[in-house]
Amino acid sequence: MRGLKLMLFLAAVAALAACAPPAAQPSAELAATTETWETAFNAGDTATLTAAYAEDTRVMPPNGETVQGRAGVEAVFGAMIASGVKGKLENIEAVTAGDIGHKVGSYEIAMPDGTVVDRGKFVELWKQVDGQWLMTHDIWNSDLAAGAGTTTMVVTHEVQDVDRWLAAWQGPDSRHALFAQHGAPSVRVFRSVDKPNLTGLLIEVADMAALQAMLDSPEGAAAKAADGVKDPTIRMFAEVK
């Protein structure tokens, strides 16, 4: 009887061990995805970038709503790429347990000239699907105080052709890139709902002198002319802090 009880006990222990979740351990494979992501982002390769995410992924950017799916991934990071910024990522840890994993790390966002416009930390959740690691959740936030080192500006003006003006703000060589290269890493574009040719910009300015120099330069004048901006209608407002 004692021997039977021992056998039953050992069988129970073996069953429990079989049901135990796999132990978490560092993963060089998961860590390597950071370099792949960084390379794709800096090359403007949105196809490779979005392929790293699961179909139902959630992306949770700072100061913005959660977006879901690969279309959301392309919208969020495509806008950043269009602004001309480059990213640098560093892993703090990359761990897997069976078919799930996570990464914790830090990031730095800089202008093409090397001027850092943001730095912070990120957390990613991953799962293995058909042998491939895919990101299911991506969240990051800044180490900088809100609005630190930046000035928010509102610019309104009329344009000759609103569709032509809007087109200038789309694509990899858009006005987003021009402004980002001259001290304004974030620009949001607006059009009036009742006056078709009245448009506006919400600009986060990191270097006011650089932005103003560009606007006053032949390059800035050429951009305004090409976009059909009516100079006499320009109104500029700076945030009062």
Side-chain angles (χ1 to χ4, degrees), residues 171-224:
D173 296 320
S174 73
R175 298 298 180 230
H176 286 285
L178 175 65
F179 275 61
Q181 291 164 9
H182 295 88
S186 174
V187 182
R188 296 171 63 186
V189 179
F190 299 85
R191 64 183 298 180
S192 172
V193 296
D194 54 359
K195 296 182 178 180
N197 290 337
L198 179 60
T199 58
L201 304 171
L202 180 63
I203 310 174
E204 294 297 329
V205 184
D207 188 336
M208 186 65 72
L211 178 62
Q212 192 61 56
M214 184 275 289
L215 295 175
D216 294 338
S217 70
E219 181 182 22
K224 285 189 289 184

Side-chain angles (χ1 to χ4, degrees):
M1 178 64 69
R2 184 175 301 173
L4 178 59
K5 289 182 178 180
L6 179 59
M7 290 177 63
L8 291 173
F9 173 76
L10 293 175
V13 170
L16 289 173
C19 295
Q25 57 187 355
S27 170
E29 182 181 7
L30 195 60
T33 61
T34 296
E35 183 178 353
T36 301
W37 193 102
E38 179 184 308
T39 299
F41 179 86
N42 290 335
D45 183 357
T46 55
T48 298
L49 200 66
T50 55
Y53 291 79
E55 293 284 357
D56 59 350
T57 191
R58 289 187 177 91
V59 177
M60 294 168 275
N63 306 310
E65 296 182 355
T66 297
V67 297
Q68 190 160 7
R70 287 176 172 168
V73 172
E74 186 166 3
V76 170
F77 295 114
M80 294 174 66
I81 289 169
S83 75
V85 298
K86 302 298 181 182
K88 181 180 180 181
L89 306 181
E90 295 288 344
N91 288 325
I92 295 175
E93 67 178 28
V95 174
T96 60
D99 61 356
I100 61 172
H102 76 265
K103 288 195 301 182
V104 178
S106 62
Y107 71 86
E108 186 174 273
I109 302 296
M111 304 296 294
D113 66 1
T115 302
V116 175
V117 295
D118 190 23
R119 65 173 63 89
K121 55 274 186 189
F122 66 84
V123 175
E124 301 168 356
L125 302 184
W126 293 70
K127 69 177 179 181
Q128 201 169 39
V129 180
D130 297 329
Q132 180 184 6
W133 285 103
L134 297 174
M135 200 186 318
T136 62
H137 295 78
D138 189 3
I139 183 170
W140 68 98
N141 56 77
S142 177
D143 288 344
L144 306 181
T150 65
T151 298
T152 302
M153 294 189 65
V154 175
V155 178
T156 64
H157 47 53
E158 294 180 11
V159 295
Q160 296 171 3
D161 183 333
V162 69
D163 291 329
R164 187 174 100 199
W165 181 80
L166 288 171
W169 287 92
Q170 299 172 357
D173 296 320
S174 73
R175 298 298 180 230
H176 286 285
L178 175 65
F179 275 61
Q181 291 164 9
H182 295 88
S186 174
V187 182
R188 296 171 63 186
V189 179
F190 299 85
R191 64 183 298 180
S192 172
V193 296
D194 54 359
K195 296 182 178 180
N197 290 337
L198 179 60
T199 58
L201 304 171
L202 180 63
I203 310 174
E204 294 297 329
V205 184
D207 188 336
M208 186 65 72
L211 178 62
Q212 192 61 56
M214 184 275 289
L215 295 175
D216 294 338
S217 70
E219 181 182 22
K224 285 189 289 184
D227 299 350
V229 174
K230 299 180 180 180
D231 256 337
T233 68
I234 296 176
R235 300 291 183 271
M236 302 180 71
F237 306 85
E239 180 182 13
V240 179
K241 295 185 179 181

